[in-house]
Amino acid sequence: MAAARYTGGLWVGAYVKICTHQWIDEQGIAAIAEPAIRQSRTEGMQGHRRAAEIRLRPHDLDAITSGLRD
């Protein structure tokens, strides 16, 4: 019955949602965007593909979001 003493039991952290944020610079985008686009397309995750493509080619925003590249 004293398991909570050595396993930690319930604490306030069990009810808190942890949100993390990650930042990537232009060099990182150039390195990972193409593989991310390719993998997202293969897995049918068009929203993820579009997000990576927008970061890689923001000047093509209209073509990317219009579905012309799907």
Side-chain angles (χ1 to χ4, degrees):
M1 291 298 193
R5 288 186 186 155
Y6 63 85
T7 61
L10 193 59
W11 66 296
V12 71
Y15 298 99
V16 177
K17 180 178 180 182
I18 304 298
C19 297
T20 61
H21 297 276
Q22 298 177 352
W23 300 95
I24 187 168
D25 61 11
E26 295 297 321
Q27 183 180 5
I29 292 169
I32 67 169
E34 285 296 340
I37 291 167
R38 189 171 47 252
Q39 181 174 358
S40 298
R41 183 177 288 123
T42 301
E43 295 179 0
M45 299 167 50
Q46 297 307 326
H48 289 277
R49 181 199 50 81
R50 285 188 195 113
E53 204 165 2
I54 288 168
R55 285 171 178 77
L56 184 62
R57 295 184 273 279
H59 55 280
D60 288 343
L61 183 62
D62 290 335
I64 295 166
T65 57
S66 67
L68 295 176
R69 296 179 182 208
D70 287 346

